[in-house]
Every structure is written in C-alpha cells, then in structure tokens.
C-alpha cells in the first residue's frame, strides 16, 4: 500500500482553508444580525437594512457550501 502524501496534504490544506472560510462567513452573518438588532433597538433604519442583508447573504453562502458538500458526498445526486 502506498500513500500519496502530496495529495493528502492538498486535501488537508483545502479542508482547513474552507473550514476557516465558512466559520468567518458565518461569524460575519452573526455580526450582521447583531447590527440589525442594535439598529432596531436604537430606532435606526438604514443600518438595520444593511445588517439584515449582510446576515442573509452570509447565511446563504454557508448554506450553499453545505449543500455543495452534501452533493459531493451523496452519489444519487450525480
């Protein structure tokens, strides 16, 4: 049995990179929700819309990454 260490290293690097990216995007989504809640409590209008838009886009991106991962794993979807 032979292990291709280069391929294993590439898979590890991509996995760690994508994981960090998804966590950062999710954190930005939570930040957007916090801005939305803060603006709603303060009575602001423009920042409220910006925060909820930021949160929606970030959570949509996270959902797309998860859906793509499920697509890659489940062979019936190919």
């Amino acid at each position: 049995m032979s292990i291709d260490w280069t391929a294993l290293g590439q898979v590890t690097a991509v996995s760690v990179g994508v994981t960090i990216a998804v966590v950062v995007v999710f954190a930005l989504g939570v930040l957007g929700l916090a801005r939305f809640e803060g603006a709603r409590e303060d009575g602001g209008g423009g920042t409220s819309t910006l925060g909820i838009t930021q949160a929606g886009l970030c959570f949509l991106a996270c959902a797309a990454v998860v859906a793509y991962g499920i697509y890659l794993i489940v062979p019936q979807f190919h």
Side-chain angles (χ1 to χ4, degrees):
M1 181 201 273
S2 176
I3 297 176
D4 186 1
W5 291 103
T6 304
L8 183 62
Q10 289 175 347
V11 168
T12 302
V14 169
S15 297
V16 169
V18 169
T19 300
I20 291 171
V22 169
V23 168
V24 167
V25 170
F26 188 83
L28 289 173
V30 171
L31 176 66
L33 281 179
R35 285 183 180 168
F36 172 71
E37 289 295 324
R40 195 172 73 172
E41 289 175 2
D42 294 340
T47 308
S48 174
T49 304
L50 180 63
I52 199 71
T53 303
Q54 174 186 348
L57 289 175
C58 289
F59 293 145
L60 185 64
C62 288
V65 170
V66 169
Y68 183 65
I70 291 172
Y71 168 78
L72 290 176
I73 291 171
V74 178
Q76 286 85 4
F77 293 153
H78 295 164

